[in-house]
């Protein structure tokens, strides 16, 4: 993960770097740092923890550093070495003249470290990055040319990197390069910006160049030189970023997560606009570029994703198999990439990712693409690396999601799967017309049902207070809501650090039931439909072992009151749409427990919003 920024131009650089880093804080918040070129030296400032600590560190030096017009900055999510000041970026060579920031993982850093130590380099941190600083410095000592030094060093590095480098010999030059990590150069008037992601630069410019792997850009205020790994100049593909600067505001909510949970009805309404006009009209999904005959004859789909997106994918499998009768495999990207997968030109591969940058998913879809599969990407970031790999791009348009815990992007991904599955079913003719109409009617009612849940959260808050001090939590469900159990548990563990696990309820008796006693809460996602009675029996079994029972239900079944200590009611909904309704109280439950415990809801420990390392 980590985020990097850079600037070379004629304006004071400090605020540009700090504002840019603030926009990238979703990528990590273990430490941050900047390096600033002053008249005869480069000054480096670092701080542990969140960016505010770096701002405070810089305050006493402001008059001294305001004149600087070139600098680089970094926000860290620790991979190699603890999140300490010593390991914070920027890293320097031993004389301090060469300074760089890095996002990614240098896989051969141990070998480089040994080689460079033998040459006399003294290592001060435990990071993989420091090896690169010494390596580029050693190449610079030989070549006296910063671009050439970076180019030669890059050839000896294995792994993933985005690098932004400066040297004290250069008054106004930054050199950047990348491989398997995002990096873009923003183009202003007599100035260049460097960033891991668009939000860091969009306030300043909409003109940008996305660096391709192994390209090296040398930036001076009035010129960019772009070369490939052999040193040959290459054409510059400049793009206009389809973004408007957005002021990220909590709009009166205490946390972004709560605001984002409350945005869900509108997100769903927006997704439906232009795609479904009326229950008796066909779904419009022009984003799907597979021709209709190919779609009709598809017999295999693979969906690849991580985390919350993986849970949306699991619901997607259920939907596509139910509506279209096409076999779907779902796999965690990190598993997919290290085995011999049976993917070929006849397989439709769907990648799901909020950020569109998750390293494991990106690698997986590149592998599938190389095997000739059609790649369909469902993402909240149509400008992302994954979107650039897509043959079909289905944006979910949830708007920027700031909180590390995904909420509105999850429901938006579910909506994308509803639309996709029904769109494919219409082409295949696999769902009867009357059923199709009733499904579409239900789909159009979803936003107001979620509005209803959000209008009164008293019961959820009461339940949160009752269980906030528990150590463990079990979520059970069956069928299409098994992924809801996984997602509810993930939400709780990532923001409250309570050990929460989702189980298919039928599996309880094959082991997990041994954990049940009077201290264990078991939350049963008891939505009406094909598995309601079965789940009710599983809930009875848990109750018989004295577990503290909670129900999330749309049933008015009177016997629930005896079985469950707490009941969270949701509006009635057809079973196939129930994951979209059931997840909302679970997001709220996780939120209110974490809030009650005083946790850092939007930026939980050890996590980052965008996971750009494998
Ligand atoms: O950006 P992506 O959807 O690819 O991210 C995948 C996971 O890292 C992400 O869903 C993560 O699990 C969230 N923090 C969950 O809330």
């Amino acid at each position: 993960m980590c985020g990097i920024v850079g600037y070379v131009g004629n304006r004071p650089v400090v605020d540009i770097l700090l504002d840019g880093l603030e926009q990238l804080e979703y990528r990590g918040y273990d430490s941050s740092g900047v390096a600033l070129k002053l008249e005869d030296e480069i000054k480096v400032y670092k701080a542990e923890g969140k960016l505010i600590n770096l701002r405070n560190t810089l305050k006493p030096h402001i008059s001294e550093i305001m004149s600087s017009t070139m600098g680089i900055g970094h926000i860290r999510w620790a991979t190699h070495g603890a999140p300490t000041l010593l390991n914070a970026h920027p890293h320097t060579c031993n004389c301090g003249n060469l300074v760089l920031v890095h996002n990614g993982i240098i896989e051969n850093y141990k070998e480089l470290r040994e080689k460079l130590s033998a040459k006399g380099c003294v290592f001060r941190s435990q990071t993989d990055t420091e090896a690169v600083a010494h390596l580029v410095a050693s190449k610079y000592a030989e070549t006296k040319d910063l671009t050439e030094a970076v180019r030669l060093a890059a050839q000896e590095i294995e792994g993933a990197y985005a690098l932004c480098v400066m040297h004290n010999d250069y008054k106004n030059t930054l050199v950047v390069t990348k491989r398997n990590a995002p990096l873009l150069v923003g183009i202003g008037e007599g100035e260049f910006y460097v960033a891991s992601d668009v939000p860091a630069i969009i306030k300043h410019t909409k003109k940008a160049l996305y660096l391709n792997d192994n390209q090296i850009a040398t930036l001076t205020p009035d010129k960019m030189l772009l070369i490939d790994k052999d040193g040959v100049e290459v054409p510059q593909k400049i793009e206009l970023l389809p973004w408007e600067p957005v002021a990220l505001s909590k709009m009166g909510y205490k946390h972004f997560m709560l605001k984002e949970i409350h945005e869900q009805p509108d997100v769903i309404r927006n997704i439906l606009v232009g795609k479904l006009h009326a229950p008796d009209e066909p779904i419009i999904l022009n984003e799907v570029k597979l021709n209709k005959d190919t779609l009709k004859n598809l017999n295999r789909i693979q969906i690849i994703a991580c985390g919350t997106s993986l849970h949306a994918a699991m619901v997607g499998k259920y939907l596509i198999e139910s509506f279209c009768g096409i076999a779907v495999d779902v796999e965690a990207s990190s598993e997919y990439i290290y085995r011999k997968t049976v993917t070929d030109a006849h397989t439709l591969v769907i990648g799901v990712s909020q950020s569109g940058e998750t390293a494991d998913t990106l690698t997986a879809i590149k592998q599938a693409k190389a095997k000739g599969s059609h790649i369909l990407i469902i993402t909240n970031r149509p400008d992302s690396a994954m979107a650039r790999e897509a043959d079909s791009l289905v944006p979910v348009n949830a708007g920027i999601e700031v909180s590390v815990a995904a909420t509105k992007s999850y429901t938006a991904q579910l909506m994308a799967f509803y639309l996709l599955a029904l769109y494919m079913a219409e082409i295949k003719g696999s769902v009867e017309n009357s059923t199709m109409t009733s499904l579409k009617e239900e789909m159009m009612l979803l936003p107001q049902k979620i509005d209803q849940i959000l209008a009164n959260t008293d019961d959820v808050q009461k339940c949160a207070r009752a269980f906030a001090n528990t150590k463990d939590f079990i979520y059970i469900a069956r069928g299409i809501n098994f992924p809801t159990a996984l997602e509810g548990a993930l939400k709780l563990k990532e923001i409250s650090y309570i050990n929460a696990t989702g189980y298919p309820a039928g599996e309880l008796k094959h082991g997990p039931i041994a954990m049940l006693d009077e201290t264990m809460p078991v939350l049963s996602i008891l939505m009406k439909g094909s598995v309601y009675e079965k789940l009710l029996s599983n809930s009875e079994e848990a109750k018989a072992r004295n577990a503290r029972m909670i129900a999330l239900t749309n049933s008015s079944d009177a016997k629930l009151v005896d079985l469950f200590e707490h009941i969270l009611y949701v509006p009635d909904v057809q079973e196939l749409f129930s994951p979209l309704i059931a997840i909302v109280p679970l997001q709220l439950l996780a939120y209110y427990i974490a809030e009650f415990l005083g946790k850092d809801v939007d930026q939980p420990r050890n996590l980052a919003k965008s996971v750009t390392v494998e």
Side-chain angles (χ1 to χ4, degrees):
M1 271 90 77
C2 305
I4 66 177
V5 292
Y7 174 80
V8 55
N10 302 302
R11 296 194 288 140
V13 71
V14 181
D15 284 340
I16 295 173
L17 296 181
L18 289 174
D19 290 350
L21 289 177
E22 192 170 318
Q23 297 297 322
L24 297 185
E25 227 184 347
Y26 72 88
R27 303 175 75 89
Y29 31 81
D30 284 338
S31 65
S32 54
V34 290
L36 310 167
K37 174 73 176 127
L38 297 172
E39 196 51 35
D40 302 315
E41 60 180 334
I42 292 176
K43 285 260 190 193
V44 176
Y45 301 89
K46 308 180 188 190
E48 270 182 41
K50 295 195 179 175
L51 190 63
I52 183 73
N53 300 341
L54 179 65
R55 286 191 187 274
N56 290 336
T57 303
L58 287 169
K59 263 184 201 152
H61 307 280
I62 280 298
S63 58
E64 184 194 347
I65 58 182
M66 267 321 267
S67 60
S68 173
T69 58
M70 177 170 85
I72 59 182
H74 187 270
I75 194 115
R76 181 167 188 246
W77 184 82
T79 56
H80 295 66
T84 59
L85 198 59
L86 205 62
N87 290 330
H89 298 219
H91 286 284
T92 61
C93 64
N94 284 145
C95 68
N97 279 335
L98 185 131
V99 186
L100 58 78
V101 285
H102 163 228
N103 167 34
I105 289 184
I106 308 300
E107 284 167 6
N108 60 336
Y109 81 100
K110 282 194 181 135
E111 293 88 312
L112 291 174
R113 210 176 159 110
E114 273 167 28
K115 211 165 90 180
L116 291 157
S117 298
K119 280 188 177 176
C121 296
V122 179
F123 281 77
R124 292 157 295 197
S125 76
Q126 289 95 45
T127 63
D128 51 342
T129 303
E130 193 184 346
V132 182
H134 293 300
L135 180 65
V136 181
S138 77
K139 300 293 176 194
Y140 184 75
E142 291 161 19
T143 60
K144 292 289 171 212
D145 179 325
L146 190 58
T147 306
E148 188 59 2
V150 170
R151 190 182 76 81
L152 294 174
Q155 292 175 358
E156 292 183 27
I157 300 172
E158 288 166 22
Y161 56 80
L163 294 168
C164 187
V165 188
M166 60 191 217
H167 196 288
N168 200 26
D169 289 351
Y170 291 75
K171 209 172 142 226
N172 55 12
T173 305
L174 291 180
V175 180
V176 297
T177 186
K178 66 147 258 178
R179 189 192 301 151
N180 291 332
L183 191 72
L184 76 158
V185 175
I187 302 158
E189 293 295 322
E191 58 185 5
F192 289 99
Y193 302 83
V194 176
S196 299
D197 196 3
V198 177
I201 63 166
I202 195 66
K203 187 168 136 189
H204 307 291
T205 181
K206 283 187 157 194
K207 260 170 81 180
L209 174 129
Y210 282 94
L211 240 67
N212 288 336
D213 281 352
N214 305 315
Q215 289 184 335
I216 300 151
T218 304
L219 311 169
T220 50
D222 46 13
K223 189 169 181 239
M224 167 163 42
L225 172 74
L226 188 67
I227 58 171
D228 66 13
K229 64 178 184 348
D230 301 319
V232 178
E233 193 167 350
V234 290
Q236 299 176 14
K237 200 174 150 229
I238 295 174
E239 298 181 26
L240 264 190
L241 299 169
W243 275 69
E244 291 303 327
V246 276
L248 297 174
S249 147
K250 292 183 193 146
M251 309 286 283
Y253 290 97
K254 188 166 177 193
H255 294 101
F256 279 107
M257 182 179 177
L258 191 59
K259 173 186 162 237
E260 288 158 5
I261 290 173
H262 279 265
E263 281 172 350
Q264 293 178 110
D266 282 341
V267 167
I268 296 172
R269 281 185 191 101
N270 288 341
I271 291 174
L272 289 173
V273 170
K275 302 222 162 359
L276 178 58
H277 296 299
D280 53 356
E281 287 186 27
I283 284 169
I284 302 163
L285 210 53
N286 296 331
E287 293 88 346
V288 178
K289 304 294 181 201
L290 269 178
N291 76 45
K292 296 198 169 169
D293 282 336
T294 314
L295 259 185
K296 265 187 200 158
N297 295 319
L298 261 185
N299 57 15
R300 178 132 195 262
I301 296 178
Q302 286 178 315
I303 317 183
I304 316 166
C306 301
T308 288
S309 300
L310 180 66
H311 301 152
M314 292 169 77
V315 176
K317 167 186 164 79
Y318 205 100
L319 297 174
I320 295 170
E321 290 188 343
S322 302
F323 294 142
C324 313
I326 303 173
V328 182
D329 297 320
V330 175
E331 192 159 352
S333 318
S334 51
E335 291 299 313
Y336 180 93
I337 54 185
Y338 291 113
R339 69 182 188 87
K340 193 162 175 269
T341 46
V342 187
T343 304
D344 59 22
H346 306 292
T347 317
L348 167 63
V349 173
I350 303 179
V352 192
S353 173
Q354 187 284 131
S355 62
E357 298 287 351
T358 299
D360 290 323
T361 310
L362 186 58
T363 307
I365 61 164
K366 282 183 180 169
Q367 284 180 4
K369 195 171 178 174
K371 290 180 171 177
S373 305
H374 184 97
I375 305 293
L376 187 149
I377 298 294
I378 296 176
T379 183
N380 198 28
R381 291 290 304 270
D383 57 333
S384 60
M386 266 180 235
R388 286 194 291 279
E389 297 292 331
D391 299 306
S392 296
L393 175 61
V394 180
V396 299
N397 299 329
I400 292 197
E401 192 175 60
V402 177
S403 184
V404 165
T407 53
K408 62 175 180 172
S409 63
Y410 177 68
T411 41
Q413 288 166 349
L414 292 188
M415 284 305 293
F417 274 115
Y418 285 113
L419 289 167
L420 180 65
L422 291 179
Y423 170 78
M424 286 169 45
E426 274 181 334
I427 290 171
K428 282 179 76 81
S430 50
V431 171
E432 271 188 26
N433 285 347
S434 58
T435 312
M436 184 60 91
T437 306
S438 113
L439 289 166
K440 288 179 187 165
E441 273 165 5
E442 182 73 297
M443 190 148 65
M444 295 178 94
L445 292 174
L446 293 169
Q448 71 197 56
K449 291 187 180 182
I450 299 181
D451 273 332
Q452 261 174 271
I453 299 172
L454 295 172
N456 185 351
T457 61
D458 291 354
D459 285 347
V460 181
Q461 294 195 46
K462 212 164 126 195
C463 187
R465 276 194 296 277
F467 290 96
N469 290 314
T470 187
K471 279 203 177 65
D472 305 286
F473 227 103
I474 287 180
Y475 292 70
I476 55 171
R478 296 182 81 130
I480 196 167
N481 276 305
F482 168 49
T484 313
L486 295 178
E487 177 59 10
L490 177 62
K491 287 291 87 81
L492 185 62
K493 63 189 146 195
E494 72 178 330
I495 61 169
S496 73
Y497 321 143
I498 291 171
N499 176 31
T501 313
Y503 290 107
E507 280 293 298
L508 263 194
K509 56 187 172 295
H510 299 288
I513 203 164
M515 295 187 297
L516 303 191
D517 61 19
E518 61 290 343
T519 65
M520 180 68 86
V522 173
L523 190 151
S524 181
I525 303 168
L526 202 54
M527 302 299 282
K528 285 193 295 186
S530 54
V531 287
Y532 177 84
E533 292 299 336
K534 295 281 173 215
L535 188 55
L536 202 55
S537 307
N538 299 137
S539 305
E540 296 272 9
E541 288 156 15
K543 168 92 171 170
R545 272 77 186 177
N546 296 325
R548 296 182 67 187
M549 301 302 295
I550 308 162
L552 170 63
T553 189
N554 55 348
S555 160
S556 49
D557 194 341
K559 61 179 176 280
L560 300 188
V561 178
D562 297 329
L563 180 52
F564 293 98
E565 183 181 329
H566 284 262
I567 303 183
L568 305 173
Y569 288 104
V570 291
D572 207 6
V573 65
Q574 287 187 40
E575 185 180 16
L576 286 167
F577 288 103
S578 62
L580 210 115
I581 298 295
I583 192 57
V584 179
L586 300 185
Q587 295 168 340
L588 288 166
L589 182 66
Y591 171 79
Y592 284 116
I593 289 179
E595 211 260 329
F596 186 79
L597 294 173
K599 301 294 185 202
D600 190 345
V601 171
D602 286 331
Q603 294 185 328
R605 70 183 183 199
N606 304 340
L607 294 177
K609 183 80 183 153
S610 182
V611 184
T612 57
V613 292
E614 273 187 20

